[in-house]
Amino acid sequence: MSVSKLEGRGISIKTFGALELDSQDTVFEIPSGTKLRSVWASLVIDPGNTVSMETVADIVWGSNQPKRSRESIHVYISQLRSFLDSCGHFPGLIETRAGGYRLAVNKLDVDWCVFDDAVKNARPKARSGDLDGAWEDFEVALALYRGPFLSGLSDSPLLEAAVDEMNEGYLACLEQRNEVMLARGEVAPLIGELRKLTRQFPVRETMHRQLMRALYLSERQIEALEVYNRLRHTLQGDYGVEPGRQVRSVHQSILERDCEAIREMILL
């Protein structure tokens, strides 16, 4: 059984925001250079497993691979190893395997894997009614998010797909955590955060629906209706469509002052 080169050293690999390694409160940032960082990313998105040379080349260059792509990959791997050796904490972290390379870590040494596990643990707890446990797991996941996944490395179609999936996963985690808070009756703390989120994501209907419910349950009916009107104006003006059924249902319940219906609109 393979053993992580990081085991017992309190080291973590960070992929949200800046690409970093953290050891004993010392942070080391992966050196600059898009190609070098793309090679690192190709290993980090599949930690503990052998990544083939073909996959690394596809991630780094896509369909525009140079004739000597393998030689270039060897150079980038050598540069990464030299950097890791210079840090003094990561000997042997990148292993050469038949046909490729392996990042010799356990998955829970990598922040995106911890994030993914926490979200997977939270969802069944939320559905079964363990709202406290779900909230704790969602908060563990959200605390790891320091910025976009593999920031600045979305030129490769393969990386772009992984980046899009992880960043969407972050937004879905936020929305599910919000549902748990609404179900727990923690309405007031959500309002400020949801106002920021709806400004940042002006057509993300789930966040608008959550803000409408939080405002109404805080006895701020007019403000809740204003959120709906703003969303409807944006969707109609920019895309020629109406808000979706679930948003319209919240709007109708607010007009009818049906507080119980709004309390029951929990999507876990």
Side-chain angles (χ1 to χ4, degrees), residues 85 101 106 112 117 119 128 133 187 256 262:
D85 288 344
Y101 298 96
N106 294 319
W112 79 259
D117 273 9
V119 171
S128 68
V187 175
E256 295 173 358
I262 290 175

Side-chain angles (χ1 to χ4, degrees), residues 199-267:
R199 286 194 294 269
Q200 186 177 359
F201 302 99
V203 296
R204 197 162 180 103
E205 295 192 25
T206 298
M207 293 176 176
H208 287 78
R209 185 177 72 244
Q210 291 173 338
L211 179 55
M212 291 166 62
R213 288 157 55 204
L215 285 167
Y216 183 78
L217 294 173
S218 297
E219 300 183 349
R220 296 160 70 172
Q221 178 180 356
I222 300 303
E223 292 176 68
L225 293 172
E226 287 173 346
V227 171
Y228 176 82
N229 290 337
R230 184 167 58 250
L231 172 64
R232 185 168 184 261
H233 177 78
T234 299
L235 293 176
Q236 285 183 330
D238 293 348
Y239 304 99
V241 298
E242 292 286 335
R245 177 182 58 80
Q246 292 177 338
V247 176
R248 296 198 309 272
S249 179
V250 174
H251 178 247
Q252 186 61 37
S253 294
I254 292 173
L255 292 175
E256 295 173 358
R257 299 178 180 247
D258 191 343
C259 189
E260 286 307 309
I262 290 175
R263 290 185 187 279
E264 292 172 1
M265 291 176 179
I266 304 297
L267 300 177

